[in-house]
Amino acid sequence: MTGDPHSLRDSYDNVASAYAEHLYHELDKKPLDRHLLNRFAEETAARGLVADVGCGPGQVGRYLHDRGVQTLGIDLSPKMIRLASGLNPGMQFQVGDMRSLDLPDASLAGIVAFYSVIHLGPADIAPVFREFRRVLADDGTLLVAFHIGDKTLHVDDMWGKSVSLDFRFLHPPDVTAALESAGFTVTESTEREPYEGAEHPSRRCYLFAIVAARSVK
């Protein structure tokens, strides 16, 4: 990851309550995100457990859960997990590191990773995708979202809380190449402009990917 993972955990612990206050209902203002999550839910709802990796306060997992998806939220921040558990009764959450998930091989029907790989350094992206591949079943589906670009934005303050976070913007062809090297086939790429007033003003990319073996039929 960019920087110390302990610093990343501590930063999100520090900002957890403010993060939930400002972003827990963010999907209300993001129609394309809802559309893509609806499609992801259609792919995974009847197939077993899905992990929301980097779940924060659980807004994405909640959306999927409400559409019949059995969802497990995973986040590096213990305070985020405590908040998510309180905000989303009836759902499963656990503290975890995406680089080494505490899950058996081939145990997931899907993974959704909304803006959770943006803290990874270039050397970490493909290994994390290989870890995603390890825990996904052969009919598993991955949906990953990230900011588009080639800059790293360092933030020391979020909503008045002290943090030390590096947000790495990524190019879709680079992420696609990392997915392919990890054993995925990218089936769809969608990009959009930012929703004014609802989020950071950056262009966004969403990639659907399947386990590569599924494409050989």
Side-chain angles (χ1 to χ4, degrees), residues 5-6 22 31 53-54 59 64 129 185 212:
H6 296 293
H22 285 86
V53 177
Q59 70 273 28
L64 295 172
F129 288 154
T185 298

Side-chain angles (χ1 to χ4, degrees), residues 96-190:
D97 188 329
M98 71 180 73
R99 297 169 302 171
S100 181
L101 295 167
D102 186 19
L103 294 168
D105 294 356
S107 59
L108 297 179
I111 293 174
V112 59
F114 265 36
Y115 307 101
S116 53
V117 301
I118 59 174
H119 299 298
L120 297 172
D124 292 316
I125 293 176
V128 163
F129 288 154
R130 286 195 291 272
E131 180 68 354
F132 287 178
R133 172 63 186 91
R134 179 187 70 80
V135 299
L136 276 170
D138 285 343
D139 62 350
T141 300
L142 171 65
L143 173 58
V144 59
F146 53 91
H147 305 276
I148 298 173
D150 55 10
K151 68 179 180 180
T152 297
L153 177 66
H154 181 79
V155 175
D156 291 309
D157 179 276
M158 291 180 73
W159 301 298
K161 302 295 183 181
S162 177
V163 298
S164 181
L165 295 170
D166 289 326
F167 295 86
R168 185 178 294 273
F169 290 45
L170 304 167
H171 288 292
D174 296 338
V175 180
T176 296
L179 285 165
E180 290 173 347
S181 75
F184 289 94
T185 298
V186 173
T187 58
E188 186 173 343
S189 176
T190 301

Side-chain angles (χ1 to χ4, degrees), residues 13-14 31 55 60 76-77 83 99 102 111 116 135 140 144 153 204:
D13 273 352
N14 198 37
C55 67
V60 170
L76 188 65
S77 162
L83 270 172
R99 297 169 302 171
D102 186 19
I111 293 174
S116 53
V135 299
V144 59
L153 177 66
R204 313 297 173 104

